[in-house]
């Protein structure tokens, strides 16, 4: 089922949609409680003391929505991989683009010699 943002806000306002998060418990946690929770979480074991010194902000390029016709078997192949199939199609196209640009640049440099 899909809902628009307006429908979700309406459901929240009417009480039909309620958060399952115990916000009072979250708000009552101290920094020490949060640190202890993180330290005991196995998903954080390798990231307890991250080094942010060399972190770089990466803003992904914007996407342009288009309509494209693909062969049914090509689309089925990508969809079989589950969610994110459009990203995988984009990655394949980007790989082709990068390879083609390198090949063209090499031809230009070879021709200049």
């Amino acid at each position: 089922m899909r809902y628009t943002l307006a429908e979700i806000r309406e459901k929240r306002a009417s009480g039909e949609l309620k958060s399952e998060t115990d916000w009072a418990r979250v708000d009552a946690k101290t920094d020490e409680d949060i640190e202890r929770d993180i330290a005991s979480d196995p998903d954080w074991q390798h990231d307890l003391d991250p080094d942010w010194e060399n972190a770089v902000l990466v803003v992904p390029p914007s996407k342009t929505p288009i309509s494209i016709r693909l062969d049914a078997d090509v689309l089925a192949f990508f969809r079989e991989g589950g969610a994110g199939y459009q990203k995988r199609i984009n990655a394949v196209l980007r790989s082709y683009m990068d390879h083609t640009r390198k090949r063209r640049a090499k031809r230009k440099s070879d021709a200049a010699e």
Side-chain angles (χ1 to χ4, degrees):
M1 191 71 173
R2 290 185 177 196
Y3 296 102
T4 65
L5 180 57
E7 290 170 327
I8 291 171
R9 286 182 174 154
E10 186 177 305
K11 287 180 178 292
R12 278 189 158 174
S14 72
E16 182 181 346
L17 184 64
K18 294 182 181 177
S19 173
E20 295 180 20
T21 302
D22 182 353
W23 291 109
R25 187 172 141 235
V26 172
D27 290 339
K29 285 189 177 270
T30 64
D31 287 346
E32 292 79 21
D33 292 334
I34 294 169
E35 292 291 330
R36 188 172 41 256
D37 289 347
I38 290 171
S40 67
D41 186 340
D43 291 337
W44 278 87
Q45 292 307 307
H46 301 291
D47 295 317
L48 290 177
D49 189 23
D51 178 12
W52 298 103
E53 186 175 319
N54 297 317
V56 176
L57 175 63
V58 177
V59 179
S62 63
K63 305 285 189 202
T64 303
I66 64 164
S67 175
I68 185 173
R69 294 180 178 274
L70 301 172
D71 293 336
D73 59 333
V74 171
L75 182 58
F77 172 81
F78 281 96
R79 283 186 169 166
E80 284 171 7
Y85 72 92
Q86 291 175 329
K87 289 180 182 179
R88 288 190 296 277
I89 292 171
N90 190 73
V92 168
L93 292 172
R94 177 169 296 286
S95 176
Y96 173 81
M97 178 186 74
D98 292 343
H99 177 77
T100 302
R101 282 182 172 164
K102 287 177 187 174
R103 195 175 65 231
R104 287 178 184 166
K106 183 173 178 0
R107 272 196 237 145
K108 284 183 182 178
S109 70
D110 288 348
E113 291 176 1

